[in-house]
Amino acid sequence: DLFLMPTLLADTNLFLWVDLEDASPEDTRKLLEGVFHFHPLSVEDCINVSPSPKVETYEPKEDDRFNPYLFMVIHAVDYSRKDGAFATSELNFFLGKNFLVTYHTVPLRSIAVIEERCLRSPVHVARAPDRVAHALLDSLVDNYKPALEELSMEIADLETEVLEHPDPATLQQILKVKKEVLHLIQIIGPQREVLQRFARGEFKLIRAHLVPYYRDVYDGLFHIGELAHGYMDSLSGILQIYLNMSANRTSEIVKVSRRSRWAPTAAAPSAGPRQRSSGRTGRAMLASGSKLLDSAAAADHGRLVLHPRGEGRFHRRASGKGRSARSRRHTWPRRIGLCRDAVGAERRWHG
């Protein structure tokens, strides 16, 4: 087959599609460099894993043996609810005027579907490389839809789980699905930019009458990107609901804990009327006495006497050297609530 390929490539009336699936690096280099004479940089990008989609145009120089071609990297996506993750598969294109080379390491549904269509109806699909490339891209975008449907069902189940049985495992699942949706957005973004260049008709190898078909593929991928952003917003809302419900549940637990802590005090037997009266009287007596002591200290080191009847009499010495000076006497009729049967005896405070 390798010996016949140069002859087939020389015939411009023929269209050659070569699909490499899980080929070894040696066999891949032998075909890409030995038969098609592709640029070494594009061959390296094909064999190695490319982190993001891209498209590049290669024009031959003086010493180059290859014909003009496009090199494109696209990612196919599949979602598994069992694993809760998106599986991406890289698909590489070498698109020329009369040839198309595809390279992938795992079997792809799009390749199998388009290959069957080409064999069944070669007149409609397998007429030119740009038409087959369009069919492959369209099939890749269509395969996003089952993945998004699985993702939508997963989000609906998470919403129900959060409302009925919120637990830490649900939180972990929300964060996991949100991470996968972010991964999907990161894949779709650069891929949409690649297809937008085809939709604008930037490449000469894409015939003008096929540009609207590529634009339709771009519109489909744009719609998928909008759905992915909507799923991200939905997951953010579900996460907020979970956090609010967790906060409410924690608040209820704190309230119950406080009621439980105060319950024994409320249930303790209360003191008798006389004991409560004595306690209040004693506290009132001490508070009133403290206030009167403060008043005595402010009255220039005077003397304050509290009588059992509850009258406070303040004796202040006159200023001077002799202590026998006539003092002035002030009496307050204010009663301070002393209770004789509570105190038990006469008390005096001297300032």
Side-chain angles (χ1 to χ4, degrees), residues 29 33 37-46 58 64 66 69:
R29 290 181 183 277
E33 294 180 351
H37 308 290
F38 291 140
H39 196 280
L41 291 179
S42 62
V43 174
E44 289 294 331
D45 291 339
C46 176
Y58 285 88
D64 292 331
F66 60 84
Y69 68 93

Side-chain angles (χ1 to χ4, degrees), residues 86-331:
F86 280 98
T88 58
S89 304
E90 184 177 319
L91 178 60
N92 299 271
F93 288 83
F94 293 89
L95 175 64
K97 187 176 181 180
N98 64 333
F99 63 85
L100 176 65
V101 180
T102 54
Y103 174 84
H104 50 100
T105 58
V106 296
L108 296 178
R109 186 186 310 171
S110 301
I111 296 292
V113 170
I114 300 305
E115 181 181 356
E116 183 180 356
R117 288 174 56 185
C118 290
L119 295 176
R120 187 175 62 249
S121 180
V123 177
H124 295 88
V125 180
R127 290 188 297 178
D130 53 357
R131 186 177 291 274
V132 175
H134 163 265
L136 289 172
L137 293 175
D138 189 36
S139 180
L140 282 174
V141 173
D142 287 341
N143 287 334
Y144 275 80
K145 296 177 182 178
L148 291 177
E149 290 177 358
E150 292 287 332
L151 180 60
S152 177
M153 296 174 62
E154 180 74 15
I155 294 174
D157 292 343
L158 283 175
E159 185 175 3
T160 304
E161 190 71 19
V162 165
L163 294 176
E164 295 181 356
H165 307 288
D167 53 19
T170 304
L171 176 61
Q172 295 297 326
Q173 187 65 20
I174 293 172
L175 297 177
K176 182 179 180 180
V177 175
K178 193 173 183 180
K179 179 180 178 181
E180 291 301 322
V181 174
L182 180 61
H183 182 209
L184 176 64
I185 293 175
Q186 292 173 348
I187 293 173
I188 292 177
Q191 204 149 271
R192 192 166 59 185
E193 295 177 1
V194 169
L195 290 179
Q196 189 176 24
R197 297 184 64 184
F198 283 92
R200 292 174 180 173
E202 295 184 10
F203 307 111
K204 298 179 180 179
L205 291 174
I206 305 300
R207 292 172 294 176
H209 69 278
L210 291 178
V211 171
Y213 294 94
Y214 281 90
R215 190 178 299 121
D216 181 70
V217 176
Y218 167 76
D219 292 339
L221 189 61
F222 181 84
H223 177 66
I224 291 173
E226 294 299 317
L227 287 177
H229 283 284
Y231 291 155
M232 179 64 74
D233 294 339
S234 298
L235 288 169
S236 298
I238 294 174
L239 179 59
Q240 189 62 43
I241 292 174
Y242 175 86
L243 295 177
N244 291 340
M245 294 183 67
S246 298
N248 293 336
R249 188 167 61 253
T250 303
S251 178
E252 291 296 330
I253 293 173
V254 171
K255 290 180 181 178
V256 172
S257 176
R258 287 178 178 175
R259 286 196 293 266
S260 301
R261 186 165 60 247
W262 286 102
T265 304
S270 59
R274 185 175 184 86
Q275 293 177 353
R276 289 198 298 270
S277 176
S278 299
R280 287 195 296 270
T281 303
R283 287 193 295 271
M285 177 188 67
L286 293 177
S288 300
S290 177
K291 291 180 180 178
L292 291 174
L293 286 174
D294 292 340
S295 299
D300 194 16
H301 305 288
R303 185 177 62 183
L304 177 66
V305 179
L306 299 181
H307 289 276
R309 293 197 303 270
E311 294 181 354
R313 295 174 182 175
F314 181 76
H315 300 272
R316 181 179 182 183
R317 292 195 178 99
S319 59
K321 296 182 179 180
R323 292 183 176 273
S324 61
R326 187 175 181 178
S327 61
R328 289 175 297 176
R329 180 174 174 178
H330 301 274
T331 304

